[in-house]
Amino acid sequence: WAVVAWRNSLVFHSLDKITSLALHSLPPLVMYVRRWHTENASSICSRPDCSITFWDPLGGPTLVYLLWQISYFLKTEMVDQDKLREQQDIESSPRWWIRWAERAGGFWRRYANFLGPNNKIFMFMIIQLAFTIVSLLPVYFAFRYQWVNITLLLCVLV
């Protein structure tokens, strides 16, 4: 879903676009091939019968996401705070979203300012967490049913 959310596209003259597209599109393609087109699909399974529960794709990935989000926040808002303040041309996800929300106006501007103008980054983190959880919901069905997996890949990548 990040391909859609960040509007990734194949722009050959932009290293940022190519890198982002590769980072966000290749993992689901690799997992599709490993799950449905290998002799030993059980190599990616945690149980002998290769079954998963509905909560399996939510718990671990959400925890990893939270750890990543905290690390990203510490890096961009504390460690590199002065550098990012001085060099406005350096882009970060929160910086991009906050500018976008201000330009979009309406609901998004109100949402960005919900906790006050000084806490926009926390609203970004909340919406990104919600987006992460919502995007993980179809994983259970994509793992169980090949047609769901194909449909999701086509919706995201085409």
Side-chain angles (χ1 to χ4, degrees):
W1 298 116
V3 173
V4 175
W6 297 111
R7 293 181 282 168
N8 290 152
S9 55
L10 191 57
V11 180
F12 292 108
H13 62 274
S14 172
L15 183 60
D16 284 347
K17 293 270 189 192
I18 294 282
T19 303
S20 186
L21 180 64
L23 285 173
H24 293 111
S25 63
L26 291 178
L29 290 171
V30 169
M31 289 309 296
Y32 170 80
V33 170
R34 289 201 61 204
R35 172 67 176 111
W36 300 109
H37 297 285
T38 58
E39 292 291 321
N40 188 8
S42 64
S43 66
I44 62 170
C45 301
S46 59
R47 294 183 181 92
D49 63 350
C50 208
S51 66
I52 63 172
T53 69
F54 187 75
W55 299 107
D56 287 339
L58 290 174
T62 301
L63 180 62
V64 170
Y65 165 78
L66 289 171
L67 292 172
W68 170 83
Q69 184 64 75
I70 291 166
S71 301
Y72 189 85
F73 174 80
L74 293 173
K75 173 75 169 129
T76 60
E77 302 306 314
M78 296 187 166
V79 174
D80 288 341
Q81 181 181 26
D82 295 335
K83 180 180 180 179
L84 290 171
R85 189 179 304 121
E86 292 168 8
Q87 298 179 16
Q88 290 295 313
D89 60 320
I90 297 176
E91 193 70 272
S92 68
S93 297
R95 188 180 275 187
W96 178 89
W97 182 79
I98 290 166
R99 274 200 320 271
W100 176 84
E102 289 298 321
R103 282 194 310 266
F107 168 79
W108 290 109
R109 181 179 292 153
R110 285 191 307 275
Y111 182 83
N113 289 296
F114 185 75
L115 295 177
N118 294 330
N119 294 314
K120 291 179 183 178
I121 189 153
F122 295 110
M123 291 308 297
F124 166 77
M125 290 165 58
I126 290 168
I127 198 166
Q128 194 168 20
L129 174 62
F131 177 80
T132 299
I133 291 170
V134 167
S135 67
L136 288 172
L137 292 175
V139 171
Y140 169 79
F141 300 103
F143 190 83
R144 295 223 19 195
Y145 307 105
Q146 185 177 16
W147 71 269
V148 172
N149 201 323
I150 291 170
T151 303
L152 288 172
L153 284 173
L154 289 174
C155 287
V156 169
L157 298 177
V158 175

